Amino acid sequence: MSRTHLRWPVTIAAAMLLFASAALPAAGSPGRVSLGASRAPYARPGDFVRPAGAGEIVDFQLYLGLRDRGAAEALLASVSDPSSSDYGRYLTPEQFRSRFSPSDAAVAAARSWLEAEGFSVGAVPANHLVVPARGTVREVERAFGVHLNHYRVNGVVLRAPSSAPSIPASLSGIVHGVLGLAQSFVHRASVPPAPPPPAYRVAKPCSAYWAEKIATDQPPAYGQSQPYAPCGYTPAQLQGAYGTAEAIAVGNDGSGVTVAIIDAYASPTIQQDLDAYSARYGLPQLTIQQITVPIRRGSVANQQGWYGEETLDIEAVHSMAPGASILYWGAASNSNNDMRDSMIDIVDNARAQIVSNSYGNWGEQLPPVAIKADDDVYIQAGVEGIGLYFSSGDYGDEIAALGYRTVDWPASSTHVTAVGGTSLAVGAQNDYLFETGWGSASSSRIRNHWDPPIPGEYVYGSGGGTSFIFDTPSYQLGVVPTQLSGFWGRSNRVVPDISAVGDPNTGFVVGQTQVFPNGDVRYAEYRVGGTSLSCPLIAGIMALADQGAGAAHGFANPALYALARTSAVRDIVNPASTVAVVRPNYVNGVSAKDGIYYVLRTMNFTGSLHTIPGYDDVTGIGSPNGEAFLTALS
């Protein structure tokens, strides 16, 4: 599943702050300007819990922003458009910084003010986008003219300023916001690196391929016995289904391309797990590059959850691009600032041609300055020819999770490729049978019937829908139906862009060192899914496309949308009849010792989103169609 590191509900109107000026005069405060776009939308009086402790430590960043952002966006559009004479004429990081980064003088001014206020100032990245600092709540409140409080947000308590922070007028035009005063997740005290996670195993019976085993011993559904869920598709099965096996066999395997993966923390067993996985499934041995930093904060359970994410991402990329190099960047925590720092390092140093990101925020309702800061890095990446791929989310239109319809950030950025999920059927010969839009409803076996009555209740599905804050990008014009782009009464960005298997019920087998109830610590395998699977699969396939073209595709959306309604992609539509699987689960998660319970998962249950002919808001333009896809991008 995609790891969300920000969860807060707000009114949609709050998101429109993105388009407001970042610095406004502070009422009643001569000589200061207010950073209105830095205010946390969730900091509402009705959700107040308590004031922040004066001695609490606050890590934050002053956001300086790009110089001439409009020109940088225009350049990105030009170098990414296959019909442009500038297509593929990317800048080096040094060239980008000389044209668009804040000046040394701007950094010096920001640093000088922070130090004068008593803050500890950290290392400034080469692109000068942010100036990191640390101080106490007391120092922050004095410097920014705010009160920091704790607020209840979606069942957790987060710290944020009660009003917009302000800065001296002398910094107006230099500092455009402050990042991190508002917490994005529950910051637990720092702990040592966590051990491997508790074990999980797939319950039997399960099918080696689609419908190998039929659940004749379970209650029927939709007029017949349904198949048992696949045990977890192997690398060979996914290469076969997505039509890349022949290309890989003749050497178009991603060689010469580096795919970077950003997650939080770092699994202590990842290299040995990848070695074991590669040996088991006939993949070449690969030594991954790793960049890690000391843990800033994070509970044992949080770290272990990200270990699984890291394992999935690396094994999925290696399965689809077995010749590609892999760089893993483990952030200090799963906070927005730490994840952004990882991305900045990759982009500033041109460490990869492709970056896979299986994480995101629930919704778009971040402080607008945080969205802008992220997007600046995405623009820089595209101008340098680095393609960014983000999971579109695992809860469909988010109504079930948040109570209102929204897409997720960063997938909704117009400068990244948002990857949605499907349910995939692979045949006995590793052949493609069909795909549906990923959206699952669930019923449990109670005695000899399914309860609640089928299809049951929504549990998860491919993230998608219409952005509230971003206009329709040019590459979606003429492809995305107006009933989708016009959902909010304007013309807006629609998510996702492309898709691959994400349904955990037709998921992927991963191998990871786990701790079993008897104390054994050993490598074992299990099935997993989510758009956290879809994203690295697409990143791997794009590595093949980069190698085949002999050049990086960079920001690929203009090229991908040119493939809509062609044989290069498989259009995902509603199945002719309802598709479902029976899924057994161990009560204790690892064995049948304490019993097995059964659920029926009905597919293509997508709520207010729909799989329709052509582009749709569940699967985008569709899924890659093997050689035709690679040839079209060469």
Side-chain angles (χ1 to χ4, degrees):
M1 301 294 177
S2 297
R3 305 296 175 181
T4 53
H5 55 274
L6 181 74
R7 306 179 181 184
W8 59 50
V10 297
T11 61
I12 281 294
M16 293 304 291
L17 286 171
L18 178 65
F19 303 105
S21 172
L24 301 171
S29 303
R32 295 185 69 85
V33 293
S34 176
L35 303 173
S38 300
R39 184 173 182 178
Y42 65 74
R44 298 173 295 199
D47 295 315
F48 172 84
V49 175
R50 64 181 184 276
E56 291 181 31
I57 299 299
V58 182
D59 291 295
F60 65 93
Q61 298 174 337
L62 294 186
Y63 164 65
L64 307 188
L66 296 177
R67 284 186 294 124
D68 202 352
R69 191 175 194 269
E73 284 190 286
L75 180 58
L76 172 59
S78 181
V79 300
S80 305
D81 181 358
S83 66
S84 168
S85 59
D86 290 328
Y87 182 55
R89 297 175 64 181
Y90 306 123
L91 300 187
T92 66
E94 294 78 13
Q95 289 171 329
F96 181 90
R97 292 194 293 264
S98 70
R99 291 179 60 175
F100 301 113
S101 285
S103 66
D104 291 340
V107 172
R111 177 187 290 276
S112 177
W113 177 73
L114 288 168
E115 291 174 341
E117 292 293 332
F119 296 114
S120 173
V121 181
V124 177
N127 68 2
H128 291 178
L129 185 64
V130 295
V131 180
R134 166 179 280 200
T136 65
V137 164
R138 181 185 295 108
E139 290 167 337
V140 166
E141 290 182 333
R142 181 186 67 245
F144 292 101
V146 295
H147 293 291
L148 294 185
N149 299 319
H150 291 278
Y151 297 88
R152 190 168 301 282
V153 186
N154 243 25
V156 299
V157 176
L158 301 177
R159 186 185 63 218
S162 60
S163 59
S166 65
I167 55 173
S170 60
L171 293 176
S172 179
I174 296 174
V175 174
H176 297 280
V178 57
L179 306 163
L181 296 188
Q183 288 180 322
S184 59
F185 75 125
V186 179
H187 291 240
R188 302 190 185 279
S190 296
V191 297
Y200 170 75
R201 301 299 300 275
V202 174
K204 303 297 173 60
C206 58
S207 296
Y209 50 86
W210 179 261
E212 180 216 12
K213 294 183 175 70
I214 304 299
T216 55
D217 55 341
Q218 300 298 319
Y222 306 108
Q224 59 185 340
S225 294
Q226 297 296 326
Y228 276 112
C231 304
Y233 292 134
T234 66
Q237 286 178 297
L238 292 185
Q239 290 176 15
Y242 285 117
T244 60
E246 291 186 9
I248 291 170
V250 298
N252 187 185
D253 58 2
S255 294
V257 179
T258 298
V259 179
I261 293 166
I262 295 175
D263 286 313
Y265 315 115
S267 168
T269 61
I270 187 59
Q271 185 63 62
Q272 68 192 58
D273 292 340
L274 181 62
D275 291 345
Y277 188 85
S278 298
R280 179 172 174 82
Y281 292 106
L283 299 172
Q285 293 294 311
L286 172 70
T287 300
I288 59 174
Q289 307 168 59
Q290 297 191 64
I291 299 176
T292 60
V293 292
I295 297 171
R296 188 185 296 275
R297 56 185 71 82
S299 67
V300 168
N302 193 30
Q303 292 182 57
Q304 290 173 336
W306 282 91
Y307 292 174
E309 180 67 67
E310 174 187 353
T311 306
L312 165 61
D313 292 346
I314 289 174
E315 291 176 357
V317 168
H318 190 46
S319 294
M320 298 310 288
S325 298
I326 294 178
L327 165 67
Y328 176 72
W329 219 117
S333 81
N334 58 321
S335 72
N336 283 344
N337 284 2
D338 287 338
M339 302 295 271
R340 186 188 306 112
D341 287 348
S342 302
M343 180 71 77
I344 288 174
D345 178 76
I346 291 172
V347 172
D348 259 347
N349 294 286
R351 297 189 188 276
Q353 292 78 50
I354 292 169
V355 186
S356 177
N357 305 273
S358 292
Y359 58 87
N361 302 275
W362 280 12
E364 295 180 300
Q365 288 72 53
L366 291 77
V369 71
I371 287 180
K372 195 170 184 181
D374 285 345
D375 219 27
D376 281 356
V377 189
Y378 306 157
I379 292 169
Q380 180 181 354
V383 170
E384 294 177 11
I386 301 172
L388 304 183
Y389 297 82
F390 277 89
S391 299
S392 70
D394 292 351
Y395 295 97
D397 55 18
E398 296 290 12
I399 291 175
L402 298 178
Y404 57 91
R405 178 169 170 154
T406 180
V407 294
D408 293 341
W409 176 262
S412 63
S413 169
T414 57
H415 304 125
V416 308
T417 299
V419 184
T422 68
S423 301
L424 172 68
V426 182
Q429 304 303 316
N430 297 346
D431 49 324
Y432 178 96
L433 299 181
F434 64 86
E435 281 175 289
T436 72
W438 172 38
S440 301
S442 182
S443 294
S444 299
R445 179 181 174 177
I446 306 296
R447 295 183 178 87
N448 201 38
H449 66 278
W450 299 110
D451 185 72
I454 56 176
E457 299 176 344
Y458 179 85
V459 286
Y460 42 41
S462 174
T466 307
S467 169
F468 190 80
I469 58 179
F470 294 104
D471 293 339
T472 299
S474 59
Y475 53 78
Q476 288 196 323
L477 295 174
V479 177
V480 175
T482 55
Q483 64 264 35
L484 297 180
S485 60
F487 182 82
W488 298 111
R490 305 186 303 278
S491 182
N492 292 83
R493 157 82 153 133
V494 186
V495 172
D497 299 308
I498 195 169
S499 59
V501 60
D503 186 349
N505 304 291
T506 65
F508 176 63
V509 61
V510 299
Q512 181 181 13
T513 298
Q514 304 171 70
V515 181
F516 284 79
N518 64 359
D520 285 352
V521 180
R522 58 184 171 86
Y523 173 92
E525 297 180 346
Y526 57 94
R527 179 186 60 221
V528 70
T531 53
S532 286
L533 166 61
S534 314
C535 186
L537 292 178
I538 290 294
I541 293 173
M542 288 304 299
L544 308 187
D546 277 10
Q547 180 192 0
H553 287 85
F555 174 49
N557 281 12
L560 292 176
Y561 276 83
L563 307 183
R565 304 190 188 96
T566 74
S567 61
V569 291
R570 291 186 171 108
D571 188 15
I572 314 300
V573 298
N574 288 331
S577 59
T578 302
V579 180
V581 294
V582 174
R583 173 174 164 169
N585 297 288
Y586 293 132
V587 171
N588 62 20
V590 294
S591 73
K593 176 183 176 182
D594 298 319
I596 298 176
Y597 66 95
Y598 298 85
V599 295
L600 179 79
R601 292 288 165 83
T602 298
M603 299 175 181
N604 202 50
F605 191 84
T606 56
S608 67
L609 310 178
H610 302 284
T611 49
I612 60 176
Y615 178 94
D616 62 60
D617 52 8
V618 179
T619 66
I621 62 172
S623 64
N625 187 16
E627 287 289 348
F629 181 81
L630 298 177
T631 299
L633 290 176
S634 64

